[in-house]
């Protein structure tokens, strides 16, 4: 997945960036899923507010003024149910990646 935006456009929101994620089987539907987003970039000052995914699945970020470049995002889902009774709070094999390009004007 590749997402393009241009520099200096302010806060960005990509609705439904993450969707159809379940906390687990039916007996775990009460749990909430959170997302851990890390990024690697060719421009260390690319973001004024780094990318994150909120609980609705929207990707949010703000590029820094006068900056452009690309970043590889790594998104990992985690639920708040913990690992009691043999469960997994986080599955490190279920990682999604995306490329975010902030293009010059």
């Amino acid at each position: 997945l590749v997402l393009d935006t241009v520099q200096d456009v302010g806060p960005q929101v990509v609705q439904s960036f993450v969707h159809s994620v379940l906390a687990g089987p039916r007996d775990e539907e009460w749990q909430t899923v959170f997302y851990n987003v890390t990024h690697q970039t060719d421009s260390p000052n690319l973001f004024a507010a780094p990318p994150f995914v909120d609980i609705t699945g929207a990707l949010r970020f703000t590029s820094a003024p006068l900056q452009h470049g690309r970043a590889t995002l790594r998104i990992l889902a985690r639920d708040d149910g913990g690992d009691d009774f043999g469960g997994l709070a986080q599955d490190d094999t279920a990682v999604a990646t995306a490329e975010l390009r902030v293009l010059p004007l």
Side-chain angles (χ1 to χ4, degrees):
L1 176 64
V2 177
L3 300 169
D4 288 335
T5 187
V6 293
Q7 70 182 46
D8 303 333
V9 294
Q12 298 287 296
V13 179
V14 180
Q15 298 294 342
S16 301
F17 179 73
V18 176
H19 54 86
S20 304
V21 174
L22 301 175
R26 281 191 162 296
D27 63 341
E28 296 180 1
E29 290 177 341
W30 57 270
Q31 297 176 12
T32 302
V33 177
F34 301 93
Y35 302 96
N36 180 22
V37 179
T38 57
H39 69 276
Q40 292 182 322
T41 179
D42 61 358
S43 177
N45 299 317
L46 185 60
F47 298 108
F52 71 97
V53 176
D54 66 23
I55 63 170
T56 69
L59 173 67
R60 298 174 179 272
F61 65 93
T62 304
S63 61
L66 304 174
Q67 297 294 313
H68 57 86
R70 58 180 67 203
T72 300
L73 308 182
R74 182 178 183 265
I75 302 100
L76 180 66
R78 177 180 180 88
D79 68 41
D80 62 354
D83 55 10
D84 294 341
F85 310 109
L88 289 175
Q90 177 173 300
D91 182 357
D92 291 330
T93 63
V95 175
T97 59
E99 182 178 348
L100 175 58
R101 300 186 301 198
V102 179
L103 306 172
L105 292 174

